[in-house]
């Protein structure tokens, strides 16, 4: 597929199944999409045990990424209040990770090649482990100005690490089992959500014994340990790589990302991720002030969000492999404005807000957010193929980086604008109402787009991709 992109009319038609790929194919050399099965000899002889070990280490590191992402939500806002930060400043700190992740996701998507994938992924996990540990130690810093600045700096560096790891986990895993794309995506997603579920519980368990810093130091130390194991387990980099081997490789990631068809998927999905940033910046303070949930119990309440996401991740993976990716995506987007409006209802009926109410909201939040991740990767992967990406490596990197960009952008707007500015000046309930209206409008845009291009039907993961001329 060269030259001008073909009309986007069929997800299944955008990629064909490669009949002769087997589970023993594992190559760090970029897999051409033109049918020529070119492989790097240094990867052909990887044993099944080592390929399984790669998946296991990736899954564990994905879980630790989830832990590090979920830890600040229940514990940082109340602690920041003690240090003199305003609600807007709390939102800025929460969003600084995602601003950094957004910027570096474009950079990673543009510059990553098979020769540096291993270096990028392990560097990312080591950076995440160092910065989450540092963020926990900032509790000992005095002075709101210094504390605020250092918190932003630590979370921004953490975002750089997240951008590297998110973009690389799937490509590294799929080199070992290219025919199991849907299953592997589901495994990584489920492990990440398991980490999100475990983070608040670990925090609530460790805070009484070691104080605010303890869970951050434990999570960072364990992630560093498994990053060192990954150095030994992950396959070596490709010996050489030249974009001239893949004529379409020169297409820049930004050029791929800003097309109207891509934006028609990106923006409605981004709005769903707003809820994640809003949650981290505003929920714990609101639950504490309106319901009276104490800091020791907050982690267990927040764990319900990630538990629902963990269960949803496994279920969504099965549904996507069965061909219901677009259906799952639309259902999750419908659930988002409904949930936001329900969050507004206690403004009219205050008696609704109880601890059980908070748990139910977090459960539904987890379901709606998690139902977007797997189908979104599917659609972006096929969009990359449709636009003539020159290698399987590029297709996977573009799709993974797009997820990082969308998640980061949504969390930035959710934490800084909704959880920070709107929440401080309009109040929690009217912020929820505004969010419900925006989610409803973008949902309508997405459904109209999908209807016009003929995608309101089944869509599934191809087992392996190749360009058809």
């Amino acid at each position: 597929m060269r030259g001008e992109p073909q009309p986007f009319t069929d997800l299944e038609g955008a990629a064909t199944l490669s009949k002769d790929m087997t589970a023993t194919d594992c190559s760090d050399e970029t897999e051409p999409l033109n049918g020529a099965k070119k492989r790097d000899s240094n990867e052909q002889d990887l044993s099944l045990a080592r390929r399984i070990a790669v998946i296991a280490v990736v899954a564990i590191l994905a879980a630790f990424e989830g832990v590090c992402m979920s830890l600040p939500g229940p514990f940082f806002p109340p602690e920041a209040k003690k240090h003199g930060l305003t609600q807007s400043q709390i939102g800025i700190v929460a969003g600084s990770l995602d601003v950094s992740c957004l910027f570096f996701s474009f950079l990673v998507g543009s510059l990553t090649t098979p020769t540096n994938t291993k270096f990028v992924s392990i560097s990312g996990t080591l950076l995440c482990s160092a910065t989450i540990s540092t963020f926990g130690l900032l509790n000992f810093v005095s002075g709101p100005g210094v504390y605020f600045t250092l918190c932003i700096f630590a979370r921004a560096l953490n975002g750089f690490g997240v951008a590297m790891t998110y973009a690389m986990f799937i490509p590294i895993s799929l080199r070992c089992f290219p025919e199991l794309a849907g299953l592997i995506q589901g495994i990584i997603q489920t492990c990440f959500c398991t980490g999100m579920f475990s983070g608040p519980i670990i925090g609530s368990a460790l805070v009484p014994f070691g104080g605010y810093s303890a869970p951050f130091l434990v999570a960072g130390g364990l992630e560093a340990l498994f990053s060192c194991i990954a150095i030994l387990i992950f396959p070596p980099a490709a010996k050489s790589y030249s974009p001239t081997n893949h004529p379409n490789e020169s297409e820049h990631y930004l050029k791929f990302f800003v097309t109207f068809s891509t934006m028609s998927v990106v923006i409605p999905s981004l709005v769903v991720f707003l809820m994640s940033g809003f949650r981290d910046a505003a929920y714990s303070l609101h639950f504490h002030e309106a319901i009276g949930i104490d800091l020791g119990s907050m982690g267990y309440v927040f764990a319900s969000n990630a538990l629902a996401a963990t269960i949803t991740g496994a279920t969504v993976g099965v549904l996507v492999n069965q061909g219901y990716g677009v259906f799952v995506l639309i259902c999750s987007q419908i659930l988002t404005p409904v949930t936001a409006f329900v969050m507004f209802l206690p403004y009219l009926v205050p008696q609704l807000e109880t601890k059980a109410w908070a748990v139910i909201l977090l459960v539904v939040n987890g379901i709606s957010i998690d139902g977007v991740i797997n189908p979104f990767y599917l659609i972006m992967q096929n969009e990359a193929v449709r636009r003539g990406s020159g290698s399987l490596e590029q297709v996977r990197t573009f799709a993974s980086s797009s997820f990082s960009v969308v998640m980061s952008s949504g969390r930035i707007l959710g934490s800084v604008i909704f959880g920070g500015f709107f929440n401080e000046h309009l109040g929690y309930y009217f912020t929820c109402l505004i969010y419900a209206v925006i989610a409803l409008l973008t949902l309508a845009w997405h459904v109209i787009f999908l209807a016009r291009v003929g995608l309101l039907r089944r869509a599934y993961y191809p087992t392996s991709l190749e360009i058809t001329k």
Side-chain angles (χ1 to χ4, degrees), residues 12 15 48 60-61 85 100 112 114 116 120 135 139 160 162 200 243 247-248 264 274 288 293 391 394-395 448 466:
E12 297 170 24
L48 176 62
I60 292 171
L61 288 172
L85 269 60
S100 174
T112 301
N116 60 21
V120 170
F135 187 75
N139 181 53
F160 184 17
V162 169
N248 295 314
S264 297
L274 284 174
H288 176 70
I293 301 176
S391 69
Q394 187 185 49
V395 168
I448 292 171
E466 61 180 16

Side-chain angles (χ1 to χ4, degrees), residues 193-465:
C193 292
T194 301
M196 293 282 288
F197 162 70
S198 303
I201 295 178
I202 293 171
S204 288
L206 293 178
V207 163
F209 297 98
Y212 172 83
S213 301
F216 295 93
L217 293 174
V218 170
L222 289 175
E223 185 173 13
L225 173 63
F226 280 96
S227 297
C228 294
I229 295 174
I231 296 174
L232 304 176
I233 296 297
F234 283 2
K239 294 178 179 178
S240 63
Y241 171 77
S242 173
T244 58
N245 295 332
H246 311 291
N248 295 314
E249 189 80 6
S250 59
E251 181 185 17
H252 195 275
Y253 174 63
L254 184 60
K255 182 180 177 182
F256 155 78
F257 190 79
V258 297
T259 61
F260 177 78
S261 59
T262 303
M263 286 291 104
S264 297
V265 179
V266 163
I267 292 178
S269 301
L270 179 153
V271 171
V272 175
F273 281 104
L274 284 174
M275 188 174 288
S276 177
F278 183 35
R279 176 199 65 206
D280 288 351
Y283 280 24
S284 61
L285 278 176
H286 178 75
F287 292 162
H288 176 70
E289 294 171 359
I291 305 175
I293 301 176
D294 58 58
L295 188 61
S297 302
M298 194 70 72
Y300 297 109
V301 172
F302 267 66
S304 61
N305 176 267
L307 176 61
T310 301
I311 297 171
T312 304
T315 305
V316 168
V318 173
L319 290 174
V320 168
N321 275 329
Q322 293 298 315
Y324 298 100
V326 172
F327 174 77
V328 170
L329 181 63
I330 293 299
C331 287
S332 297
Q333 291 173 331
I334 291 173
L335 189 60
T336 300
V338 172
T339 304
F341 181 75
V342 170
M343 292 164 63
F344 166 75
L345 287 181
Y347 177 78
L348 304 175
V349 187
Q351 295 79 6
L352 288 173
E353 257 181 337
T354 62
K355 183 179 288 189
W357 172 269
V359 170
I360 292 171
L361 280 179
L362 286 166
V363 166
V364 178
N365 281 184
I367 293 172
S368 61
I369 293 171
D370 211 51
V372 171
I373 298 173
N374 202 316
F376 176 83
Y377 178 86
L378 158 71
I379 293 176
M380 296 303 290
Q381 176 178 265
N382 282 275
E383 172 69 357
V385 173
R386 184 186 73 86
R387 292 193 55 81
S389 298
S391 69
L392 184 56
E393 180 76 20
Q394 187 185 49
V395 168
R396 291 169 178 165
T397 300
F398 276 13
S400 299
S401 296
S402 296
F403 168 69
S404 297
V405 169
V406 170
M407 183 189 70
S408 299
S409 301
R411 286 175 53 84
I412 291 166
L413 294 173
S415 58
V416 177
I417 303 300
F418 285 80
F421 181 81
F422 284 173
N423 189 33
E424 183 173 344
H425 293 89
L426 301 178
Y428 174 85
Y429 299 112
F430 282 100
T431 300
C432 294
L433 184 60
I434 292 172
Y435 179 42
V437 173
I438 293 174
L440 188 61
L441 292 175
T442 54
L443 166 65
W445 174 19
H446 194 203
V447 171
I448 292 171
F449 167 75
L450 292 176
R452 291 189 64 182
V453 298
L455 291 179
L456 287 179
R457 57 177 186 80
R458 289 162 61 93
Y460 62 88
Y461 269 110
T463 58
S464 60
L465 298 172

Side-chain angles (χ1 to χ4, degrees), residues 72 75-86 89-90 93 96 134-155 212-213 216:
F75 307 109
F76 173 70
E79 193 67 28
K81 280 286 188 180
K82 295 179 183 178
H83 280 75
L85 269 60
T86 67
Q89 288 176 318
I90 292 171
V93 172
S96 59
T134 302
F135 187 75
L137 291 173
L138 293 179
N139 181 53
F140 298 103
V141 174
S142 59
V146 176
Y147 178 75
F148 177 58
T149 302
L150 291 178
C151 283
I152 292 177
F153 185 68
R155 294 302 279 170
Y212 172 83
S213 301
F216 295 93

Side-chain angles (χ1 to χ4, degrees), residues 6-64:
Q6 301 300 312
F8 191 11
T9 57
D10 186 354
L11 278 181
E12 297 170 24
T16 59
L17 302 185
S18 178
K19 303 292 185 181
D20 54 347
M21 292 189 71
T22 65
T24 59
D25 293 325
C26 181
S27 174
D28 258 348
E29 180 69 33
T30 301
E31 182 68 36
L33 299 185
N34 58 7
K37 303 296 184 247
K38 181 179 179 181
R39 306 187 187 285
D40 188 358
S41 60
N42 70 341
E43 288 301 308
Q44 269 186 313
D45 299 328
L46 284 180
S47 66
L48 176 62
R50 183 170 179 184
R51 286 186 277 129
I52 293 174
V54 169
I55 303 299
V57 172
V58 167
I60 292 171
L61 288 172
F64 277 112

